Amino acid sequence: MPATISKAEEARIERVIQAAISGSWNEFSRLTDAPFSNDASMMEQFADSSQRLQEAGGNWKMNSGVGIAPDGTRLITTTIEAPPAVDILLCMHSTSDKNDSTISIWTFNQQLSWD
């Protein structure tokens, strides 16, 4: 049986999207439980994704999936499809599917298409 998104992970995804729509870097940066590996890079990713989501005006479809690492931690991948704009990929890491999981934002950037 495939892993599913936990309630805590789903809530965090929603809060990330809302922070991006509002354009609030301060709110977005508080949504990661571990420091970003590169603040400047994440700030650029946020600015670009925020602008794209604002331009889409809520006209998008989201799909999320969970991959389980050998150590039991979880990679949460959310694709935000907003045609005709470029899709956005949000990747987060979660320590477990429990409510007290540590959830970290890893990337929030446009999804490249190789078509």
Side-chain angles (χ1 to χ4, degrees), residues 63-83:
N63 295 304
S64 295
V66 179
I68 307 298
D71 65 358
T73 62
R74 301 157 59 84
L75 179 63
I76 314 309
T77 306
T78 301
T79 304
I80 305 161
E81 301 172 12

Side-chain angles (χ1 to χ4, degrees), residues 1-70:
M1 176 178 211
T4 59
I5 303 283
S6 73
K7 296 275 188 215
E9 293 161 347
E10 186 176 342
R12 188 70 57 95
I13 291 166
E14 288 298 323
R15 290 178 62 202
V16 165
I17 301 301
Q18 290 306 312
I21 292 168
S22 73
S24 175
W25 166 256
N26 289 334
E27 175 63 23
F28 176 80
S29 64
R30 286 193 296 263
L31 294 173
T32 189
D33 295 336
F36 298 128
S37 60
N38 182 323
D39 284 345
S41 174
M42 187 56 73
M43 196 175 289
E44 288 177 7
Q45 292 177 47
F46 174 78
D48 182 65
S49 295
S50 176
Q51 178 183 351
R52 292 175 190 282
L53 288 174
Q54 290 170 9
E55 288 172 359
N59 184 30
W60 60 71
K61 181 173 65 170
M62 287 190 346
N63 295 304
S64 295
V66 179
I68 307 298

Side-chain angles (χ1 to χ4, degrees), residues 8-9 12 15-16 27-37 92-96 98-106:
E9 293 161 347
R12 188 70 57 95
R15 290 178 62 202
V16 165
E27 175 63 23
F28 176 80
S29 64
R30 286 193 296 263
L31 294 173
T32 189
D33 295 336
F36 298 128
S37 60
M92 300 188 312
H93 180 263
S94 181
T95 56
S96 75
K98 307 291 185 234
N99 285 339
D100 63 350
S101 173
T102 299
I103 302 173
S104 305
I105 300 170
W106 280 4

